[in-house]
Amino acid sequence: MKVGSAVQETADGTATIDGVTETTCAPAISTSEPSNAIRIERDSIGALEVPAAAYYGVHTARALRNFRITGATIGQYPALISALAAVKQAACQANRDLGLLDDRRADAIVAACVELRAGRWLDQFPIDPIQGGAGTSTNMNANEVIANRALEILGYPRGAYSELDPLDHVNLGQSTNDVYPTAIKLCLVGHLRNLIAALGRLADSFERKSVEFADVLKMGRTQLQDAVPMTLGQEFGTYARMLREDRDRLDEGARLLLESHLGGTAIGTGINGHPDYPELACAYLREFAGEPIVRAADPIEATQDCGAFVQVSGILKRVAVKLSKTCNDLRLISSGPAVGLGEINLPAAQAGSSIMPGKVNPVIPELVNQVAFETIGNDLTVTMAAEAGQLQLNAFEPVIIYSLLRSTTHLSAAADTLATECVDGITANREHLAAGVRRSVGLVTALSPYIGYAASASIAKKALKTGAYVGDIAVADGLLTSDQVAEILAPQRLAGITAQPDAAS
């Protein structure tokens, strides 16, 4: 099964993934022990109490004490847990192929990984996404949950690590420093795919409005001043094209993340690893993820370099900036409704004031603006965290992936909300727009090639002073005939939809 894809379920509540059948109706954690029962586990620091019913172990319990920042947990990011499980399963199957792990243990580890990839046991990943240790706690959490679930599958109690150990077996041939970066890249690719799809849906919404408004003439503006005519359809079509450009950039960014340096272990040199392991593990991961993952050309470089995250973050910032600018435009051209620009109407989402009856605010564009501000701030976090890496490892990848997952998740939701709750319901004030074009002095720009710049400027001054239509002034001044004005100022020509008449005529 691809990471993040749906599980194929049957009527009896089972699912098949990678040829392994498992029960998708997950039972609650065993309650045979009293709710306050504990077990004692030990690490290199010493002994620590762990809830007897927990699949996690001592390293996770210690991380729970150390890292209490966001109030979130890594289990709230299913794609991250699925990616970690895919990496662990790829490692396990590679180790089995190499004769480093026996079939009995490997089968149990694979079964546990399959369950995690199917979305089970997320509550057993309780640690904070922001943590010291370059992601070590996240890797340890995965090792422990997989080990204890595998022990249970084999018929042993949780914590019976002499039979199957989180480090000696689940983490065999691995280091946090090759597992964690590979997993977070794979997770981020899935989130980028979701965002690409959401931007596509929003672009389609703008495109539909572009077609609907293709015949609605309006004044374009530069520096908030009247410029030259265009159609409302052209304006909305531009928003669609901007979004599609960003989708292409995001797809390019995702390809930068499809790199595995599994087998690099601690710093990329491959210490304690089998020479054939990197290729095998990468091949399995490629199969599980359904993505064209390749081995890192230089694992030492890949272990310390966060350049791909910086580039992806920059693309997300670009998306945010352009979305925010688009929402600024929607708020501006819908302003009023009586004494603003009032060119379009946004669908009413909610009452706008506790004191002004009947007021309706552009709350959906405002929401998107705020998501954009957050994303721009997250980009600075990613930039500083990537810069802060030292020598052979960057210890700050946890805050990098936390920031990027928030940006991608929130941008995806914002794009979908903007499409369904705002853009799809926009209507045009056609008569108001047509009247605005007729009274705008910007029309003299279209006359300039036929009567000259100076004469056009004179007409503009008269129009501003009297409020008269510039075409009528040109006829009254003997500069053009009525037929010439009608041809030059035809709406289709003003918007550049058809060719302009020959100025020499």
Side-chain angles (χ1 to χ4, degrees):
M1 184 183 79
K2 293 183 180 181
V3 173
S5 62
V7 182
Q8 296 298 314
E9 294 193 22
T10 61
D12 63 357
T14 64
T16 300
I17 171 173
D18 299 331
V20 179
T21 300
E22 57 100 2
T23 302
T24 58
C25 301
I29 294 176
S30 173
T31 56
S32 58
E33 297 279 359
S35 60
N36 61 348
I38 56 98
R39 65 177 187 264
I40 304 297
E41 291 196 15
R42 291 172 176 78
D43 60 7
S44 59
I45 304 296
L48 199 64
E49 293 181 350
V50 177
Y55 284 113
Y56 63 78
V58 61
H59 296 96
T60 303
R62 210 173 286 285
L64 282 170
R65 291 185 174 189
N66 291 334
F67 312 125
R68 295 170 290 183
I69 301 299
T70 67
T73 70
I74 60 172
Q76 292 170 353
Y77 295 89
L80 175 57
I81 306 308
S82 180
L84 281 164
V87 169
K88 293 296 178 180
Q89 185 177 344
C92 174
Q93 295 190 198
N95 283 323
R96 174 165 53 186
D97 289 354
L98 295 169
L100 303 175
L101 193 62
D102 64 90
D103 286 343
R104 185 178 67 92
R105 289 190 176 97
D107 286 345
I109 291 171
V110 166
C113 290
V114 165
E115 292 181 353
L116 290 179
R117 291 174 56 203
R120 295 180 68 180
W121 318 123
L122 294 176
D123 63 332
Q124 295 302 296
F125 291 85
I127 59 176
D128 199 294
I130 297 182
Q131 55 194 250
T136 297
S137 295
T138 295
N139 183 40
M140 292 292 200
N141 195 167
N143 289 333
E144 291 171 341
V145 172
I146 292 167
N148 280 307
R149 179 63 184 130
L151 282 168
E152 192 171 60
I153 290 168
L154 291 172
Y156 294 98
R158 294 162 209 174
Y161 298 144
S162 60
E163 296 296 330
L164 193 154
D165 189 81
L167 298 178
D168 291 337
H169 300 119
V170 179
N171 198 64
L172 178 62
Q174 302 153 61
S175 164
T176 293
N177 302 343
D178 61 355
V179 166
Y180 186 76
T182 300
I184 62 177
K185 287 178 183 177
L186 181 56
C187 168
L188 184 55
V189 167
H191 276 247
L192 290 175
R193 299 281 187 237
N194 291 338
L195 177 55
I196 288 168
L199 292 179
R201 291 188 290 271
L202 178 57
D204 290 344
S205 292
F206 277 116
E207 191 67 43
R208 287 191 294 271
K209 288 298 169 181
S210 175
V211 173
E212 181 183 340
F213 301 148
D215 62 337
V216 181
L217 200 66
K218 63 163 284 180
M219 287 305 298
R221 294 181 180 83
T222 57
Q223 293 154 281
L224 295 181
Q225 306 299 303
D226 293 354
V228 296
M230 66 185 303
T231 68
L232 191 60
Q234 289 171 323
E235 191 164 42
F236 275 69
T238 297
Y239 300 140
R241 281 184 285 278
M242 287 165 58
L243 288 162
R244 288 175 180 140
E245 285 180 359
D246 285 346
R247 285 196 315 165
D248 292 342
R249 302 292 81 76
L250 285 169
D251 188 63
E252 292 168 1
R255 290 198 291 271
L256 294 176
L257 301 169
L258 295 175
E259 180 182 79
S260 164
H261 54 287
L262 292 178
T265 64
I267 63 170
T269 60
I271 189 170
N272 293 348
H274 190 288
D276 296 329
Y277 169 88
E279 187 61 52
L280 272 173
C282 183
Y284 277 120
L285 188 59
R286 187 161 49 242
E287 174 189 341
F288 302 154
E291 296 279 1
I293 298 170
V294 298
R295 285 181 60 192
D298 183 345
I300 297 176
E301 179 272 337
T303 303
Q304 64 184 275
D305 181 23
C306 288
F309 294 126
V310 174
Q311 185 149 342
V312 168
S313 184
I315 299 170
L316 293 173
K317 180 174 74 171
R318 168 185 165 141
V319 171
V321 167
K322 291 165 72 173
L323 270 179
S324 191
K325 186 270 179 190
T326 298
C327 286
N328 292 342
D329 287 356
L330 295 178
R331 291 190 296 117
L332 183 61
I333 63 177
S334 67
S335 60
V339 291
L341 294 184
E343 296 183 350
I344 62 171
N345 306 300
L346 305 184
Q350 64 184 54
S353 174
S354 62
I355 192 172
M356 293 174 279
K359 190 172 189 293
V360 177
N361 295 326
V363 294
I364 302 302
E366 290 170 351
L367 166 72
V368 179
N369 285 135
Q370 291 173 82
V371 171
F373 305 156
E374 177 194 37
T375 300
I376 294 165
N378 288 340
D379 176 65
L380 179 58
T381 297
V382 171
T383 301
M384 296 305 296
E387 184 276 337
Q390 296 170 314
L391 303 177
Q392 280 68 59
L393 184 67
N394 188 303
F396 308 111
E397 285 181 345
V399 77
I400 288 176
I401 190 60
Y402 178 64
S403 299
L404 291 173
L405 293 183
R406 287 173 62 205
S407 292
T408 51
T409 301
H410 294 177
L411 283 171
S412 295
D416 279 333
T417 301
L418 183 61
T420 59
E421 304 303 321
C422 182
V423 177
D424 286 348
I426 289 175
T427 58
N429 291 323
R430 294 169 177 261
E431 288 146 7
H432 174 65
L433 286 167
V437 171
R438 184 171 178 81
R439 67 175 178 267
S440 173
V441 298
L443 292 178
V444 298
T445 302
L447 303 179
S448 181
Y450 308 95
I451 63 176
Y453 189 94
S456 297
S458 175
I459 290 175
K461 290 178 182 178
K462 291 178 182 178
L464 283 171
K465 184 175 181 180
T466 65
Y469 175 48
V470 296
D472 291 343
I473 298 173
V475 172
D477 287 355
L479 298 170
L480 293 167
T481 68
S482 296
D483 288 345
Q484 287 175 316
V485 167
E487 183 180 11
I488 294 168
L489 298 185
Q492 293 82 2
R493 290 199 174 98
L494 289 174
I497 299 171
T498 60
Q500 299 292 333
D502 187 354
S505 64

